[in-house]
Amino acid sequence: MVDVSQHKLVPEHILLEEEEVQEMLDEYDVKRTNLPKIKRTDPAAPDDAELGDVVKIVRDSRTTDTAVTYRLVIE
């Protein structure tokens, strides 16, 4: 079986600590439930991601070098 998360086209997915999540939510003045969602079963999601966790996704970008997005882990 191929590990999709290791493919070169899949962006880096980082599971955030609760302190980092709170800083990000305060910085952008959003609620956790307002974040885009990612399923816990998504092949690119970190293996240790649990319901309610927040994942930071870092993609390469032509215009800004890197683009960062955050996703809430759902069922």
Side-chain angles (χ1 to χ4, degrees):
M1 181 74 66
V2 175
D3 183 3
V4 174
S5 66
Q6 299 305 311
H7 193 278
K8 67 179 182 177
L9 295 179
V10 175
E12 183 179 10
H13 287 61
I14 304 163
L15 195 58
L16 295 182
E17 298 291 327
E18 192 57 38
E19 183 178 302
E20 295 171 302
V21 171
Q22 198 55 50
E23 288 175 11
M24 180 271 301
L25 293 174
D26 290 343
E27 179 181 347
Y28 293 110
D29 192 28
V30 295
K31 295 180 183 177
R32 188 182 295 251
T33 54
N34 291 49
L35 296 173
K37 314 296 188 273
I38 185 171
K39 289 194 172 198
R40 189 169 42 110
T41 56
D42 188 304
D47 293 333
D48 52 345
E50 296 180 4
L51 187 66
D53 286 343
V54 176
V55 177
K56 177 180 180 179
I57 303 172
V58 182
R59 292 183 168 90
D60 291 334
S61 172
R62 291 181 185 180
T63 57
T64 62
D65 192 36
T66 59
V68 178
T69 59
Y70 299 92
R71 304 267 172 137
L72 175 65
V73 178
I74 61 170
E75 276 189 89

